[in-house]
Amino acid sequence: MNKIILLITLLCTTNIFAESIEDQVQRKMDMQTLSTGLEMVQKGILYNNPSLTKTGISMIKKGQKKLIESHGEDLKKYLPMDSAFAFKFAKSAAKRIQDYSDELTEDLNSKKDYMKISASYTHIMNECAGCHLRIRKWRSEERRVGKEC
């Protein structure tokens, strides 16, 4: 009887662990999509290539939406102790990223004001960095030049 209980416990634990790893891999891929989108927007701005900028914005929008929709409940498991706050913070950051992306697209399509377009891109980057700073607990003293991380 004890062997059967042990076997069932082991199977359940293995299944939960496998799902956890799969979720982590997918979440990492979604974050990489966001990163690639940001790189494309930056290159599009620097090289005066609106098509590249629009493609990057599209990737950012898809990535941030998928991250919250697909991984919302899963994210709560990996967030800091006050996960309710962290999840609300992540959702509001995702909303602001969406808003800045829309603003960037509008400016790109109509005004062609590259200073404003660059400012929107900077706002998106600040949202990303702010979320990583608060939720991932980045610390500037841990990231000093020359110090091992």
Side-chain angles (χ1 to χ4, degrees), residues 33-34 36-38 40-41 51-65 98 101-102 104-105:
T33 298
L34 285 168
T36 302
L38 284 167
M40 292 177 80
V41 170
S51 175
L52 187 60
T53 304
K54 288 177 185 178
T55 302
I57 293 168
S58 176
M59 289 181 77
I60 291 169
K61 287 181 178 182
K62 287 177 189 171
Q64 67 86 23
K65 185 176 180 181
Q98 181 73 34
S101 296
D102 291 341
L104 199 155
T105 302

Side-chain angles (χ1 to χ4, degrees), residues 81-144:
M81 296 294 265
D82 188 5
S83 62
F85 166 75
F87 184 65
K88 282 172 117 177
F89 184 84
K91 281 183 77 170
S92 64
K95 170 72 171 107
R96 287 188 300 271
I97 288 170
Q98 181 73 34
D99 292 343
Y100 290 131
S101 296
D102 291 341
E103 184 179 299
L104 199 155
T105 302
E106 183 181 317
D107 290 339
L108 190 64
N109 289 334
S110 63
K111 300 172 189 165
K112 308 262 189 275
D113 181 352
Y114 283 93
M115 291 305 288
K116 193 166 182 192
I117 291 168
S118 296
S120 293
Y121 169 75
T122 301
H123 288 306
I124 293 169
M125 281 299 298
N126 287 340
E127 289 300 327
C128 294
C131 200
H132 283 244
L133 175 70
R134 287 171 184 86
I135 292 177
R136 287 185 158 188
K137 303 288 188 199
W138 279 1
R139 298 284 184 251
S140 59
E141 57 271 4
E142 295 173 358
R143 302 285 184 211
R144 290 190 183 154

Side-chain angles (χ1 to χ4, degrees), residues 15-25 27 74 78:
N15 188 31
I16 291 169
F17 183 70
E19 287 177 20
S20 175
I21 289 174
E22 185 177 307
D23 291 340
Q24 289 175 359
V25 168
R27 189 172 46 256
D74 183 51
Y78 301 100

